[in-house]
Amino acid sequence: ASAFSQPWPGYNTSRYAGMHSLPYQPEIHSVMPSDWDINVMSANLTFFNENFFGIDPMQEISDGNVNSISDVTKNRTGFVNAIIQFPSVAYRINDKSTVGFSWRLRAVLVSNTSSAGLSNFIHGLNTPGGSPDSFNDDFARGFIGTWGSFGFIYSRELINKNRHRLYGGISLNIISGAGSAFIDISDASFSYSQDTLHNLNLNFTMAVTEEIDKLVKDDEIPLFSKFGLGVDFGLNYVKTSGKEDDKAYDYKLGIGVVGLGKINYNTSMANRVQVQANNVLKSSFSGIESFRQLMDTLVANFNISNESREKIATRLPLDINLYGDVRLHNRFFLHVSYTRQITYFGKEKYDDFSFNQFYVVPRYESRTIGIYLPFTYNKFLNLESGIAFRWKPLVIGTSNIFSYLIQGGESANLDLYFTTRIMINRKKK
């Protein structure tokens, strides 16, 4: 879950990244040396080795394809993050202001259980017997979210005094929701012997939007069903070098807030359930292949208190970035940053998937070529390293190819991206 809101890691720190720096630093004016920046097509995919690609998270839980987040490096957590950037453009009106339009499509799938033992128990629901065990305050979660973003960008120079520059930028986004679903079985406490569950207590929250329901039942993909509003904004302070090229700088400092926004959905099913029962046959949970079957099973077998909702608001993943960039020598730079990633299921913040990330990127770049070496660290994946290459408008890169190759079969995930774009300057007198 290390790239919810920040695709193109490494390359996104470049002064030549243009449109691709927006998901990291929404202030684009100071990092766009050309007058026109046109994205033709770009894609970024991040995935874990044992991710789940299915539409129904309950089926994946039933199949045992989700495991402990503490075992990420043992290939036991399901996660997919994908972004496609369609044709987008930014235009420098003059030396002070830049405007633009950005069009993106996003998809995120993630699954998690609190322990490998609980995952093994879920996997064995269809199997008679099993070694007795007990659980206390365990959980199992799954989430899928898809949306498009149409961003209208304005960025400008706010202060220009001697060698000091201050830039600000904002992106107002129309969010087009293609559907969302999540399931959360929390505070699960029970024990079992052979085929019987004892002293079962759990809180069960589930929400499935109409769009996901149609996708599962009818294979329809409603890309423009529900709309919401979002905003990204950032500030960037630059200490210029004092040379004739006023785009050259000694260092810069910035802050960016990315992902403020939500989408209001109608639900086909949304329940918050508290379950209490004793001496329940384990086979009661077998054969569950959908959200509806799960709810019917709970109603038929347990004493439950049920709270349902017809509408639900789904918040976007939120990033708060603090970063600095310094020129080491001529075309050699060093970028460092701290990011607070806040993750939501629906509109509730989930600390289990929220984290702090540290980011260091040495790079070499000229107008023609660029080489970027991103190093990232967070509590899920520990230290990862990758590389990206740019030749004129063509870019290919990854945030973790080196750590992937070094760890071999024990590596957790792989991130890949490419871009192709056009940069145009006006003729100067």
Side-chain angles (χ1 to χ4, degrees):
S2 61
F4 268 153
S5 297
Q6 294 185 22
W8 302 287
Y11 174 60
N12 58 3
T13 67
S14 169
R15 62 178 292 194
Y16 297 99
M19 301 297 298
H20 301 95
S21 68
L22 285 172
Y24 179 68
Q25 44 184 350
E27 187 286 294
I28 190 177
H29 185 74
S30 68
V31 293
M32 198 179 90
S34 59
D35 295 313
W36 287 89
D37 189 272
I38 304 169
N39 174 75
V40 180
M41 177 62 73
S42 306
N44 185 190
L45 174 66
T46 303
F47 57 91
F48 287 124
N49 285 348
E50 290 189 4
N51 53 69
F52 65 89
F53 291 92
I55 294 302
D56 188 350
M58 268 313 302
Q59 181 62 48
E60 297 302 322
I61 292 176
S62 177
D63 290 343
N65 294 334
V66 297
N67 291 277
S68 169
I69 209 160
S70 63
D71 292 331
V72 163
T73 56
K74 297 180 181 178
N75 305 335
R76 292 181 177 177
T77 296
F79 174 74
V80 179
N81 176 70
I83 178 171
I84 299 176
Q85 178 157 314
F86 296 102
S88 306
V89 61
Y91 172 62
R92 185 188 294 271
I93 301 174
N94 51 46
D95 290 340
K96 294 289 186 180
S97 301
T98 294
V99 295
F101 170 77
S102 178
W103 177 19
R104 295 187 177 93
L105 181 65
R106 297 292 308 275
V108 174
L109 297 89
V110 64
S111 64
N112 168 240
T113 61
S114 58
S115 70
L118 180 60
S119 180
N120 292 333
F121 169 77
I122 296 172
H123 179 62
L125 286 176
N126 296 317
T127 305
S131 301
D133 203 348
S134 61
F135 301 93
N136 186 36
D137 295 330
D138 280 64
F139 63 83
R141 297 180 181 130
F143 168 78
I144 176 174
T146 56
W147 70 94
S149 176
F150 306 90
F152 299 89
I153 306 152
Y154 180 70
S155 181
R156 70 170 286 124
E157 183 182 78
L158 302 175
I159 296 176
N160 185 337
K161 188 175 181 179
N162 297 326
R163 293 171 57 191
H164 304 281
R165 307 284 191 273
L166 181 66
Y167 303 90
I170 187 169
S171 177
L172 300 178
N173 308 315
I174 298 175
I175 309 298
S176 170
S180 178
F182 68 91
I183 179 173
D184 179 3
I185 301 174
S186 61
D187 304 322
S189 300
F190 64 94
S191 61
Y192 73 95
S193 57
Q194 297 301 320
D195 296 327
T196 305
L197 280 68
H198 308 284
N199 301 317
L200 175 67
N201 290 276
L202 62 87
N203 293 310
F204 177 81
T205 303
M206 176 179 61
V208 182
T209 68
E210 293 176 344
E211 292 77 13
I212 293 294
D213 207 22
K214 290 180 181 178
L215 179 63
V216 173
K217 291 179 180 179
D218 306 322
D219 293 329
E220 295 182 7
I221 304 177
L223 291 179
F224 305 102
S225 178
K226 295 295 181 181
F227 290 91
L229 296 176
V231 63
D232 308 325
F233 61 89
L235 290 172
N236 201 345
Y237 165 76
V238 178
K239 178 70 175 298
T240 63
S241 63
K243 298 179 180 178
E244 291 184 4
D245 178 8
D246 70 349
K247 295 184 180 65
Y249 61 89
D250 292 333
Y251 65 87
K252 62 181 181 180
L253 303 171
I255 180 173
V257 178
V258 179
L260 286 170
K262 66 178 182 179
I263 305 169
N264 293 316
Y265 287 107
N266 295 327
T267 62
S268 63
M269 187 186 310
N271 300 86
R272 187 185 298 271
V273 178
Q274 187 175 32
V275 180
Q276 293 181 331
N278 191 23
N279 298 328
V280 178
L281 290 177
K282 177 182 171 184
S283 58
S284 300
F285 288 98
S286 63
I288 295 176
E289 298 181 353
S290 69
F291 291 108
R292 178 62 65 184
Q293 286 183 346
L294 176 62
M295 183 56 61
D296 292 343
T297 299
L298 292 173
V299 171
N301 291 278
F302 306 108
N303 296 320
I304 64 175
S305 59
N306 185 16
E307 173 191 343
S308 62
R309 290 177 289 176
E310 295 182 355
K311 297 182 181 295
I312 189 169
T314 297
R315 296 188 63 173
L316 302 181
L318 177 66
D319 278 4
I320 302 172
N321 306 320
L322 299 173
Y323 52 86
D325 197 271
V326 60
R327 180 189 297 271
L328 299 177
H329 179 70
N330 291 334
R331 296 187 174 120
F332 291 91
F333 299 82
L334 179 67
H335 185 96
V336 295
S337 76
Y338 162 78
T339 296
R340 175 61 178 169
Q341 163 82 64
I342 303 175
T343 303
Y344 300 91
F345 287 159
K347 62 180 180 179
E348 299 181 17
K349 183 176 74 170
Y350 270 67
D351 291 333
D352 294 317
F353 288 104
S354 299
F355 59 91
N356 301 318
Q357 180 161 286
F358 302 91
Y359 195 40
V360 178
V361 185
R363 71 180 189 275
Y364 170 89
E365 61 181 6
S366 65
R367 182 174 292 274
T368 303
I369 63 173
I371 303 173
Y372 313 89
L373 298 171
F375 293 84
T376 58
Y377 177 85
N378 62 58
K379 68 178 182 180
F380 296 123
L381 301 174
N382 296 321
L383 181 65
E384 292 197 311
S385 60
I387 191 168
F389 298 96
R390 176 181 61 84
W391 180 73
K392 294 183 177 179
L394 304 177
V395 179
I396 184 169
T398 170
S399 68
N400 50 25
I401 186 66
F402 293 139
S403 47
Y404 180 85
L405 294 175
I406 291 172
Q407 294 178 33
E410 296 297 319
S411 62
N413 70 328
L414 182 61
D415 170 272
L416 297 169
Y417 61 85
F418 77 90
T419 75
T420 178
R421 51 199 285 266
I422 300 170
M423 298 169 64
I424 303 173
N425 275 307
R426 293 188 295 262
K427 291 183 178 180
K428 307 296 183 181
K429 291 184 179 179

